[in-house]
Protein backbone atom coordinates (compact mmCIF):
# COMPACT_ATOMS: atom_id res chain seq x y z
CA UNK A 1 0.00 0.00 0.00
CA UNK A 2 1.12 3.55 -0.68
CA UNK A 3 0.68 5.81 2.24
CA UNK A 4 -0.58 9.35 1.58
CA UNK A 5 1.97 12.06 2.32
CA UNK A 6 1.25 14.22 5.31
CA UNK A 7 0.61 17.48 3.44
CA UNK A 8 -2.04 15.88 1.22
CA UNK A 9 -3.54 14.15 4.24
CA UNK A 10 -4.12 17.52 5.92
CA UNK A 11 -5.26 19.06 2.63
CA UNK A 12 -7.84 16.26 2.27
CA UNK A 13 -9.17 17.13 5.73
CA UNK A 14 -9.33 20.84 4.80
CA UNK A 15 -11.21 19.82 1.66
CA UNK A 16 -13.77 17.96 3.76
CA UNK A 17 -14.19 21.08 5.91
CA UNK A 18 -14.81 23.06 2.70
CA UNK A 19 -17.86 20.91 1.96
CA UNK A 20 -19.69 22.78 4.76
CA UNK A 21 -19.12 26.14 3.04
CA UNK A 22 -22.20 28.22 2.23
CA UNK A 23 -21.15 30.52 -0.62
CA UNK A 24 -22.66 30.00 -4.06
CA UNK A 25 -19.51 31.35 -5.74
CA UNK A 26 -16.48 29.80 -4.09
CA UNK A 27 -15.91 27.85 -0.94
CA UNK A 28 -12.75 27.41 1.04
CA UNK A 29 -11.85 25.11 3.87
CA UNK A 30 -8.89 25.51 6.16
CA UNK A 31 -7.34 23.78 9.10
CA UNK A 32 -4.56 24.92 11.39
CA UNK A 33 -2.05 22.25 12.37
CA UNK A 34 0.67 22.61 14.95
CA UNK A 35 3.09 19.85 15.94
CA UNK A 36 0.96 17.40 13.97
CA UNK A 37 -2.13 18.24 15.90
CA UNK A 38 -5.22 19.82 14.34
CA UNK A 39 -5.85 22.96 16.35
CA UNK A 40 -8.76 24.49 14.47
CA UNK A 41 -10.95 24.31 11.39
CA UNK A 42 -12.87 26.91 9.38
CA UNK A 43 -14.96 27.23 6.25
CA UNK A 44 -16.56 30.06 4.29
CA UNK A 45 -19.79 31.14 5.97
CA UNK A 46 -21.82 34.16 7.06
CA UNK A 47 -21.38 35.27 10.68
CA UNK A 48 -23.40 33.13 13.10
CA UNK A 49 -27.11 33.95 12.83
CA UNK A 50 -26.80 35.95 9.59
CA UNK A 51 -28.09 34.62 6.30
CA UNK A 52 -25.61 32.72 4.13
CA UNK A 53 -25.33 33.13 0.35
CA UNK A 54 -26.99 29.70 0.18
CA UNK A 55 -29.97 31.00 2.26
CA UNK A 56 -30.33 34.13 0.14
CA UNK A 57 -30.05 32.23 -3.12
CA UNK A 58 -27.39 34.57 -4.47
CA UNK A 59 -23.85 35.68 -3.77
CA UNK A 60 -23.53 39.46 -3.55
CA UNK A 61 -20.11 39.38 -5.19
CA UNK A 62 -21.32 37.34 -8.15
CA UNK A 63 -24.46 39.46 -8.51
CA UNK A 64 -22.35 42.62 -8.72
CA UNK A 65 -19.63 41.12 -10.94
CA UNK A 66 -16.90 41.79 -8.41
CA UNK A 67 -13.65 40.29 -9.74
CA UNK A 68 -11.63 37.70 -7.89
CA UNK A 69 -9.31 39.22 -5.31
CA UNK A 70 -11.16 42.53 -4.94
CA UNK A 71 -13.68 44.21 -2.61
CA UNK A 72 -13.71 41.55 0.08
CA UNK A 73 -15.65 43.84 2.37
CA UNK A 74 -18.58 43.03 0.07
CA UNK A 75 -18.32 39.33 0.83
CA UNK A 76 -20.94 38.13 3.34
CA UNK A 77 -18.70 35.46 4.71
CA UNK A 78 -16.18 35.12 7.41
CA UNK A 79 -13.41 33.53 5.37
CA UNK A 80 -12.18 30.00 6.06
CA UNK A 81 -8.79 31.18 7.34
CA UNK A 82 -10.41 33.84 9.57
CA UNK A 83 -12.85 31.30 11.03
CA UNK A 84 -10.04 28.90 11.83
CA UNK A 85 -8.01 31.67 13.46
CA UNK A 86 -10.80 33.07 15.66
CA UNK A 87 -11.57 29.61 16.97
CA UNK A 88 -8.06 29.01 18.32
CA UNK A 89 -5.85 30.57 20.94
CA UNK A 90 -2.70 32.32 19.69
CA UNK A 91 -0.30 30.09 21.60
CA UNK A 92 -1.83 27.07 19.81
CA UNK A 93 -1.23 28.67 16.41
CA UNK A 94 2.31 30.02 16.94
CA UNK A 95 4.66 28.45 14.40
CA UNK A 96 1.87 26.32 12.99
CA UNK A 97 0.69 25.68 9.45
CA UNK A 98 -2.58 26.63 7.82
CA UNK A 99 -3.88 24.30 5.08
CA UNK A 100 -6.19 25.90 2.52
CA UNK A 101 -8.35 24.41 -0.21
CA UNK A 102 -10.74 26.31 -2.49
CA UNK A 103 -13.40 25.05 -4.88
CA UNK A 104 -15.66 26.78 -7.35
CA UNK A 105 -19.18 26.23 -6.02
CA UNK A 106 -20.65 25.90 -9.51
CA UNK A 107 -18.14 23.64 -11.27
CA UNK A 108 -16.67 21.90 -8.21
CA UNK A 109 -13.19 22.51 -9.67
CA UNK A 110 -10.28 23.52 -7.48
CA UNK A 111 -9.59 27.25 -7.46
CA UNK A 112 -6.21 27.40 -9.20
CA UNK A 113 -3.35 29.58 -8.05
CA UNK A 114 -5.37 30.82 -5.15
CA UNK A 115 -4.07 32.73 -2.18
CA UNK A 116 -5.43 34.26 0.99
CA UNK A 117 -7.05 37.68 0.55
CA UNK A 118 -5.45 40.86 1.91
CA UNK A 119 -7.55 40.72 5.11
CA UNK A 120 -6.77 37.08 5.83
CA UNK A 121 -3.06 37.63 5.20
CA UNK A 122 -3.03 40.21 8.00
CA UNK A 123 -4.75 37.83 10.38
CA UNK A 124 -2.49 34.91 9.47
CA UNK A 125 0.57 37.09 10.13
CA UNK A 126 -0.73 38.17 13.54
CA UNK A 127 -1.81 34.66 14.49
CA UNK A 128 1.87 33.68 14.32
CA UNK A 129 1.29 31.02 11.66
CA UNK A 130 4.54 30.20 9.83
CA UNK A 131 3.39 28.52 6.61
CA UNK A 132 0.29 28.37 4.44
CA UNK A 133 -0.12 25.27 2.29
CA UNK A 134 -2.51 25.79 -0.60
CA UNK A 135 -3.92 22.96 -2.72
CA UNK A 136 -3.66 23.31 -6.51
CA UNK A 137 -5.09 19.90 -7.30
CA UNK A 138 -5.48 16.49 -5.68
CA UNK A 139 -1.74 16.00 -5.23
CA UNK A 140 -0.03 19.33 -5.95
CA UNK A 141 0.19 22.25 -3.56
CA UNK A 142 1.99 25.57 -3.00
CA UNK A 143 3.83 26.33 0.22
CA UNK A 144 3.82 29.99 1.27
CA UNK A 145 6.28 31.21 3.84
CA UNK A 146 4.31 33.78 5.84
CA UNK A 147 7.51 35.81 6.23
CA UNK A 148 7.24 36.58 2.50
CA UNK A 149 3.95 38.38 3.16
CA UNK A 150 5.70 40.48 5.80
CA UNK A 151 8.85 41.24 3.80
CA UNK A 152 7.13 41.70 0.42
CA UNK A 153 4.22 43.76 1.70
CA UNK A 154 1.77 43.86 -1.24
CA UNK A 155 -0.46 46.36 0.59
CA UNK A 156 2.23 49.00 0.02
CA UNK A 157 1.90 48.72 -3.74
CA UNK A 158 -1.90 48.50 -3.72
CA UNK A 159 -1.83 45.14 -5.49
CA UNK A 160 -5.26 43.86 -6.41
CA UNK A 161 -6.24 40.29 -6.99
CA UNK A 162 -3.90 37.37 -7.07
ZN1 LIG B 1 -20.93 34.39 -1.54
ZN1 LIG C 1 -9.81 36.06 3.16
Amino acid sequence: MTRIDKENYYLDIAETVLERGTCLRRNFGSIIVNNDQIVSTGYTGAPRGRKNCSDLGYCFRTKHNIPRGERYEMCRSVHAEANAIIHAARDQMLGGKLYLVGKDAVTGEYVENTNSCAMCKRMIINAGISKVIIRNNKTDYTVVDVNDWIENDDSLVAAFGY
Side-chain angles (χ1 to χ4, degrees), residues 79 81 117 120:
H79 286 182
E81 307 96 303
C117 73
C120 287

Side-chain angles (χ1 to χ4, degrees), residues 4-160:
I4 190 169
D5 65 276
K6 212 181 258 181
E7 303 297 51
N8 278 302
Y9 159 69
Y10 286 129
L11 286 165
D12 280 354
I13 296 172
E15 189 169 329
T16 299
V17 173
L18 169 160
E19 303 299 334
R20 281 289 298 162
T22 61
C23 184
L24 299 171
R25 173 184 170 111
R26 270 184 205 108
N27 283 303
F28 287 83
S30 73
I31 64 168
I32 297 171
V33 177
N34 208 345
N35 290 322
D36 274 321
Q37 189 164 351
I38 298 170
V39 169
S40 190
T41 66
Y43 56 82
T44 318
R48 287 172 197 268
R50 285 196 184 172
K51 289 199 186 318
N52 291 295
C53 295
S54 56
D55 300 318
L56 294 169
Y58 65 88
C59 174
F60 188 93
R61 288 170 55 79
T62 300
K63 199 173 175 182
H64 295 269
N65 295 313
I66 301 173
R68 175 179 178 180
E70 293 182 24
R71 305 291 314 273
Y72 276 109
E73 78 280 12
M74 305 309 282
C75 175
R76 293 195 57 71
S77 297
V78 178
H79 286 182
E81 307 96 303
N83 263 326
I85 288 168
I86 62 177
H87 291 99
R90 189 169 187 276
D91 61 356
Q92 293 180 303
M93 299 187 277
L94 272 179
K97 294 180 183 176
L98 186 144
Y99 293 82
L100 182 67
V101 183
K103 275 187 177 176
D104 187 297
V106 179
T107 64
E109 305 271 316
Y110 290 112
V111 182
E112 287 177 20
N113 304 313
T114 193
N115 203 345
S116 292
C117 73
M119 308 295 284
C120 287
K121 281 180 182 167
R122 297 175 197 179
M123 282 186 261
I124 290 166
I125 291 169
N126 267 15
I129 289 163
S130 67
K131 288 197 164 59
V132 178
I133 290 97
I134 305 168
R135 174 163 268 182
N136 297 319
N137 57 47
K138 200 66 194 163
T139 52
D140 190 47
Y141 52 84
T142 303
V143 179
V144 175
D145 189 340
V146 176
N147 258 325
D148 284 349
W149 290 345
I150 299 170
E151 283 161 20
N152 304 307
D153 185 348
D154 55 6
S155 66
L156 291 174
V157 292
F160 282 109

